[in-house]
C-alpha cells in the first residue's frame, strides 16, 4: 500500500491499496480507536475488482488531531471532503463500527458522492431489551466522566505497553483473537508507538469521538432519519459475537430497513480482521449484484 497525506483543512493520512485504473473506487473507513491498518487483511481481496483506499479519520492513525475536531459529525464532513476532493467520483463506502456511523451520515448528506454503502458491525442504536456487555458499558461510562476519563486514558497510554493494550483491545473486539495474524499485531504496535510520540493529545481526540458517538446513540432520531433517507444500495453485515454492538441491535435495524441486504457472520466486532475472506465474499457478491464493481482482469 502507498501512504500519503492530503490537505483537507489539515493533514489527513490515507493509503492506496491499489486496483486497476478502470475499476470503481472503494473507500474503507475504520472505527473508534482504529486506523487504515484495520483493513490490511481484506483490501488485497478487493483490489482485483476495485481501486481501494482507506483514510485515517481525524484523531486517529497518522492523521491525528491536526485535521480538526474528532467528533462523528466532523469526521463525516471530513469523509465527504475526501470523496469529493481526493477520490473525485462517486465511491462505495465500507465502514466499520464508528466508521459505519460516519459513512452513513456522509452518504445521507452527500448521496451523489456515494454509489453504495457497506456497513460492517456499525455503531447503531441499542434496541429495546438488548443487553449491553458489562465491560463495554463500564468503559464507555468512564469516557463520559469529566476529568476521570482523560486522566485514566493518559495514564493507560503512559504506563501500559502498546502490545498489551492492543492485545486487550483484540480480546474485547474479536470472538477469537488468535485469528488475527502476528504481523497485523506487530504493525499495530509499531503505529501505536509512532503515534505516541507524534500525537501527545490523542487521548483527547479519542474521548471527543467517543463522547460524540454516545450522544448520537442516546438521542438517535437524527441517525435513524439518516439511515432511512439512504437511496443507494446498503449492505449490513454483523458478527453474532459482537460485544460492542449486540447482534440484537443489528437485527432491529435490518427489520426496520428490510430493503437493505443483511448478513450475519460468525465473528466479533471486526470481521475484516477475523474472517476477511468470508466478509470479502459477501461484500463482492453484493457489489456484483448491484453492478458496483468490475469483473477482474483475465
Amino acid at each position: 500500500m502507498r501512504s500519503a497525506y492530503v490537505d483537507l483543512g489539515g493533514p489527513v493520512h490515507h493509503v492506496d491499496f491499489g486496483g486497476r485504473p478502470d475499476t470503481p473506487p472503494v473507500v474503507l473507513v475504520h472505527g473508534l480507536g482504529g486506523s487504515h491498518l484495520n483493513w490490511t487483511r481484506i483490501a488485497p481481496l478487493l483490489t482485483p475488482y476495485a481501486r481501494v483506499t482507506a483514510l485515517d479519520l481525524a484523531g486517529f492513525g497518522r492523521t491525528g488531531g491536526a485535521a480538526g475536531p474528532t467528533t462523528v459529525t466532523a469526521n463525516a464532513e471530513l469523509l465527504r471532503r475526501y470523496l469529493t476532493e481526493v477520490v473525485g467520483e462517486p465511491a462505495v463506502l465500507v465502514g466499520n463500527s464508528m466508521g459505519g456511523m460516519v459513512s452513513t451520515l456522509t452518504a445521507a448528506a452527500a448521496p451523489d458522492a456515494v454509489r453504495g454503502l457497506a456497513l460492517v458491525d456499525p455503531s447503531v442504536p441499542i434496541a429495546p431489551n438488548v443487553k449491553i456487555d458489562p465491560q463495554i458499558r463500564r468503559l464507555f461510562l468512564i469516557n463520559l466522566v469529566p476529568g476521570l476519563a482523560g486522566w485514566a486514558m493518559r495514564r493507560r497510554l503512559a504506563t501500559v505497553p502498546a502490545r498489551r493494550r492492543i492485545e486487550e483491545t483484540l480480546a474485547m473486539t474479536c470472538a477469537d483473537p488468535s485469528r488475527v495474524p502476528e504481523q497485523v499485531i506487530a504493525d499495530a504496535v509499531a503505529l501505536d508507538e509512532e503515534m505516541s510520540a507524534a500525537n501527545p493529545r490523542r487521548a483527547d481526540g479519542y474521548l471527543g469521538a467517543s463522547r460524540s458517538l454516545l450522544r448520537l446513540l442516546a438521542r438517535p432520531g437524527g441517525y435513524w432519519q439518516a439511515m432511512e433517507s439512504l437511496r443507494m444500495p446498503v449492505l449490513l453485515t454483523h458478527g453474532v459475537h459482537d460485544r460492542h454492538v449486540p447482534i440484537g441491535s443489528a437485527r432491529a435495524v435490518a427489520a426496520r430497513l428490510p430493503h437493505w441486504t443483511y448478513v450475519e457472520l460468525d465473528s466479533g466486532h471486526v470481521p475484516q480482521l477475523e474472517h476477511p475472506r468470508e466478509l470479502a465474499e459477501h461484500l463482492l457478491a453484493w457489489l456484483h449484484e448491484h453492478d458496483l464493481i468490475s469483473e477482474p482482469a483475465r
Side-chain angles (χ1 to χ4, degrees), residues 260-298:
W260 288 12
T261 302
Y262 179 58
V263 175
E264 294 186 357
L265 303 170
D266 183 24
S267 184
H269 190 56
V270 284
Q272 73 271 26
L273 291 178
E274 280 196 86
H275 295 104
R277 191 164 298 278
E278 181 183 359
L279 176 60
E281 288 173 355
H282 288 294
L283 179 57
L284 291 171
W286 170 77
L287 289 168
H288 277 304
E289 178 186 354
H290 294 282
D291 296 321
L292 295 173
I293 56 173
S294 305
E295 290 293 336
R298 298 295 180 183

Side-chain angles (χ1 to χ4, degrees), residues 104 117 119 122-125 220 222-236 249-263:
T104 297
L117 177 65
L119 303 173
S123 301
V124 295
Y223 188 24
W224 277 117
Q225 185 176 8
M227 288 190 281
E228 291 168 345
S229 73
L230 300 175
R231 294 295 175 263
M232 70 285 294
V234 180
L235 169 67
L236 172 59
S249 294
R251 289 169 178 167
V253 172
R256 182 162 171 169
L257 300 167
H259 57 288
W260 288 12
T261 302
Y262 179 58
V263 175

Side-chain angles (χ1 to χ4, degrees), residues 183-194:
Q183 187 59 56
V184 173
I185 298 173
D187 290 344
V189 170
L191 179 61
D192 188 283
E193 292 173 343
E194 175 188 336

Side-chain angles (χ1 to χ4, degrees), residues 4-235:
Y5 288 85
V6 62
D7 184 2
L8 297 175
V12 173
H13 177 255
H14 64 125
V15 296
D16 184 346
F17 287 104
R20 302 198 326 269
D22 61 335
T23 54
V26 170
V27 177
L28 310 175
V29 188
H30 68 79
L32 184 67
S35 74
H36 63 281
L37 293 179
N38 290 49
W39 304 104
T40 53
R41 295 199 73 196
I42 193 171
L45 304 175
L46 305 179
T47 51
Y49 306 86
R51 286 176 287 127
V52 182
T53 64
L55 77 163
D56 288 339
L57 296 173
F60 302 97
R62 292 194 175 101
T63 296
T70 64
T71 63
V72 168
T73 52
N75 268 314
E77 172 59 16
L78 180 69
L79 177 57
R80 184 198 66 78
R81 291 191 63 182
Y82 181 78
L83 294 174
T84 57
E85 299 176 33
V86 180
V87 178
E89 62 178 290
V92 174
L93 293 179
V94 182
N96 172 235
S97 189
M98 182 189 75
M101 177 185 280
V102 169
S103 298
T104 297
L105 297 178
T106 300
D112 291 342
V114 181
R115 300 177 67 219
L117 177 65
L119 303 173
V120 182
D121 289 68
S123 301
V124 295
I126 297 297
N129 303 318
V130 169
K131 294 183 179 180
I132 303 174
D133 183 281
Q135 188 176 6
I136 302 302
R137 180 193 292 273
R138 176 177 175 274
L139 288 174
F140 278 104
L141 286 178
I142 290 175
N143 287 349
L144 293 174
V145 180
L148 173 63
W151 174 85
M153 180 156 289
R154 286 189 291 271
R155 183 175 184 274
R156 178 172 171 78
L157 290 172
T159 62
V160 180
R163 185 177 184 94
R164 179 179 161 191
R165 284 187 277 106
I166 288 166
E167 288 176 343
E168 290 174 350
T169 298
L170 289 174
M172 287 192 294
T173 54
C174 297
D176 182 359
S178 69
R179 294 171 179 151
V180 181
E182 170 58 31
Q183 187 59 56
V184 173
I185 298 173
D187 290 344
V189 170
L191 179 61
D192 188 283
E193 292 173 343
E194 175 188 336
M195 291 303 99
S196 292
N199 183 17
R201 295 183 59 84
R202 65 176 179 152
D204 297 332
Y206 177 94
L207 290 174
S210 175
R211 287 166 175 165
S212 73
L213 184 152
L214 293 174
R215 285 195 295 269
L216 284 169
L217 293 178
R219 303 183 67 177
Y223 188 24
W224 277 117
Q225 185 176 8
M227 288 190 281
E228 291 168 345
S229 73
L230 300 175
R231 294 295 175 263
M232 70 285 294
V234 180
L235 169 67

